[in-house]
Amino acid sequence: MTERIPCIREGGPNTILPATAARTGGYCMPCKQEMEREAHQRYIEANRRDVDLYEGIMDPVEILKIMHTRQDHDPLICYVAYEHSKEQVYLSLSTEQQALMIDYAMQLIRTGDDDTGKDILVYLVCYHDTSLSAQIPELLEHEIYYPVILYKSASAEVRDQLLQRVNTDDENRNNLLLMIAYIGDEVVVRQFQQWRQSPPRWADQLHVAPEHYTTEAGWELTNEGQRRDLFIIPSYSLYKVKENEGADDTSIGNSISMLLTSTDNCEWCGGPLTTLIDLDVQHPALQDVAWNSERLQVQTCVICSCYGVVYMEMDSVGEPCWSAHNVMPMGADDLDPDDYVQLAPDAGRQFRIATAPRHAFHASEWAMEPSTSQIGGHPGWVQDADYPNCPCCSSRMRAVGQLDWSEVEEYGDGMYYMFICEPCQMTAVSYQQS
């Protein structure tokens, strides 16, 4: 038997055959491969260079084209990020520049890059409420049925085509119903009412009744067959103050009381309740809200609302209190608040509410990574639309805001959704995560 010899690398635990040592210079293969990786990494670090694709470019349309272009990975190149986010650049577009981006998106779709083209169109629809009525017929020709929000501005002619097609297109019926719901005009409302009264032959192929599709578009049919919107308008962004701005800089937005720790405790886990928002009802964001108190306070247990809806009632002086209608979700009795990170004392002071409203659907596509925390506006559902029913009157509660927890904690995740029932003066909070 050939005697094995030790690897010559200091600390190397392996032994090797003499023939292997002759080929590798005395190193075992694991050590030789590790040394090659280390040498390659040193070469990359010594030769890597920064590349600024945006240098000298001022046109936001050209900047966005670069942002939407996937760059081939090269370990020797470090691409410099643009100084503003994609959201900020889109919001800076003029009407003429929006039209140029629409043309560019349609060119991409015609050449087979559907994903990038659709992304651009969704940004324009959400951030600028851009009408795609002229482009929708071509989108249908390319069999683009998602994201359904693209069809929000469809013409009456397209609407009628979709209403006919939904009866025959079994494969795309789910998206077609959502597209129709987003159009949401009087004809659509009447059609959903007819489907509710006389379910179509294909209704049993769906997971839910046809009229429930409207909630994804942010509205529902009332018992009288009328449209009722399920979120308040206008929408105001809630954003975290940057470190260099300072929490006392009033020039960057209005202050809002948020993330206040209550003296009351959760009746399920025993941890302290948290007031997610506390806002004067005279604020323009709440102009669509009928509330009997001077301030709208949405309070919850940030632990237990991850497992089920937490309802709060208003007492005689307008203060939130734990609702007797709360039903403990499965698993909540095993929760220990000490296992969760406690909020920093100044967490709420780090937030501001924007001075001007934004479009109602701005944050509805959360995967676009917009600034999603808001008062008002269509919710950015991480999963499916889920408006809780008021436990007092059984009506769907209206969305009044949402809070992206990743903006609250360093490793936070998911979205807290806030709801109100004005007739019953109740609030609710639910939670979704990917």
Side-chain angles (χ1 to χ4, degrees):
M1 178 180 293
T2 303
E3 183 178 356
R4 301 175 68 89
I5 59 178
C7 170
I8 66 172
R9 189 178 190 187
E10 184 177 354
N14 299 322
T15 59
I16 55 176
L17 295 171
T20 302
R23 292 197 308 271
T24 63
Y27 297 98
C28 67
M29 289 306 298
C31 286
K32 182 173 177 60
Q33 292 169 350
E34 178 63 23
M35 292 167 61
E36 290 174 348
R37 284 193 294 269
E38 292 173 352
H40 182 62
Q41 185 60 34
R42 288 194 297 271
Y43 175 82
I44 290 175
E45 293 174 356
N47 294 276
R48 181 184 289 154
R49 58 192 177 90
D50 291 341
V51 174
D52 186 356
L53 298 174
Y54 307 99
E55 185 176 3
I57 299 178
M58 304 299 293
D59 184 355
V61 171
E62 296 304 316
I63 290 171
L64 286 171
K65 288 180 180 180
I66 296 172
M67 286 182 165
H68 282 290
T69 301
R70 185 185 300 274
Q71 305 298 331
D72 293 333
H73 175 69
D74 187 334
L76 296 180
I77 295 179
C78 179
Y79 292 103
V80 178
Y82 189 59
E83 59 181 328
H84 299 299
S85 68
K86 191 178 292 182
E87 178 185 25
Q88 291 172 318
V89 180
Y90 267 102
L91 290 174
S92 74
L93 295 178
S94 66
T95 302
E96 293 76 17
Q97 290 166 338
Q98 293 172 46
L100 291 174
M101 288 303 298
I102 291 176
D103 291 341
Y104 179 62
M106 297 308 294
Q107 291 173 16
L108 292 173
I109 290 172
R110 293 176 192 126
T111 56
D113 190 357
D114 291 1
D115 290 340
T116 305
K118 290 188 296 184
D119 285 348
I120 293 171
L121 295 177
V122 169
Y123 282 111
L124 293 170
V125 169
C126 290
Y127 294 161
H128 290 281
D129 199 25
T130 303
S131 172
L132 299 179
S133 58
Q135 290 73 36
I136 285 174
E138 186 173 354
L139 295 178
L140 288 172
E141 289 179 8
H142 287 278
E143 299 184 343
I144 293 175
Y145 308 117
Y146 189 85
V148 293
I149 196 174
L150 298 177
Y151 290 84
K152 188 164 67 73
S153 56
S155 65
E157 181 181 1
V158 169
R159 174 204 65 207
D160 293 341
Q161 292 175 2
L162 297 178
L163 288 173
Q164 292 178 1
R165 184 172 172 181
V166 75
N167 291 311
T168 57
D169 192 342
D170 295 346
E171 181 180 356
N172 296 298
R173 181 171 293 119
N174 188 69
N175 280 335
L176 291 172
L177 285 168
L178 292 172
M179 292 153 63
I180 293 168
Y182 265 97
I183 297 171
D185 60 13
E186 293 181 2
V187 173
V188 167
V189 173
R190 288 197 300 269
Q191 181 61 79
F192 276 106
Q193 170 68 348
Q194 291 174 15
W195 283 333
R196 181 166 69 181
Q197 293 175 342
S198 302
R201 58 168 182 77
W202 39 262
D204 58 355
Q205 300 174 15
L206 306 173
H207 294 295
V208 296
E211 65 268 20
H212 293 315
Y213 278 75
T214 65
T215 61
E216 292 289 340
W219 61 280
E220 68 171 351
L221 280 176
T222 65
N223 293 332
E224 296 76 26
Q226 303 298 312
R227 171 175 171 149
R228 173 178 178 257
D229 289 336
L230 293 173
F231 58 89
I232 70 167
I233 53 175
S235 170
Y236 280 78
S237 172
L238 298 173
Y239 58 94
K240 198 168 186 178
V241 177
K242 297 179 181 178
E243 292 182 4
N244 58 355
E245 289 176 333
D248 296 326
D249 188 351
T250 56
S251 65
I252 58 173
N254 299 321
S255 62
I256 179 174
S257 297
M258 294 178 59
L259 302 170
L260 305 174
T261 301
S262 172
T263 55
D264 297 327
N265 291 331
C266 173
E267 294 194 11
W268 293 341
C269 72
L273 296 175
T274 300
T275 302
L276 296 182
I277 61 165
D278 180 345
L279 185 61
D280 192 321
V281 296
Q282 298 300 318
H283 190 280
L286 302 179
Q287 64 185 29
D288 188 35
V289 173
W291 207 246
N292 296 340
S293 306
E294 293 183 356
R295 305 189 69 82
L296 174 64
Q297 301 178 65
V298 180
Q299 194 173 93
T300 192
C301 172
V302 296
I303 299 174
C304 293
S305 53
C306 295
Y307 296 85
V309 179
V310 174
Y311 296 96
M312 302 293 289
E313 303 175 11
M314 299 300 115
D315 63 18
S316 58
V317 294
E319 294 294 322
C321 59
W322 186 266
S323 174
H325 296 283
N326 279 319
V327 178
M328 182 183 292
M330 184 178 299
D333 52 345
D334 295 328
L335 297 176
D336 185 349
D338 293 335
D339 293 338
Y340 294 82
V341 177
Q342 299 298 315
L343 291 175
D346 62 343
R349 291 197 295 273
Q350 299 173 11
F351 281 85
R352 295 271 170 168
I353 185 169
T355 56
R358 62 187 189 180
H359 290 292
F361 288 85
H362 183 107
S364 60
E365 297 290 322
W366 73 274
M368 292 164 38
E369 299 185 351
S371 51
T372 50
S373 297
Q374 64 184 15
I375 300 295
H378 187 281
W381 298 108
V382 178
Q383 301 170 21
D384 294 331
D386 189 8
Y387 296 87
N389 291 327
C390 174
C392 292
C393 67
S394 299
S395 297
R396 280 195 179 92
M397 303 178 78
R398 290 204 297 166
V400 72
Q402 61 188 32
L403 181 59
D404 183 351
W405 207 246
S406 68
E407 297 179 342
V408 177
E409 295 181 352
E410 183 178 1
Y411 300 106
D413 185 28
M415 195 87 66
Y416 286 89
Y417 302 93
M418 295 169 271
F419 308 90
I420 54 172
C421 177
E422 291 143 292
C424 301
Q425 294 290 288
M426 293 195 65
T427 67
V429 174
S430 66
Y431 173 88
Q432 291 183 2
Q433 69 177 52
S434 57

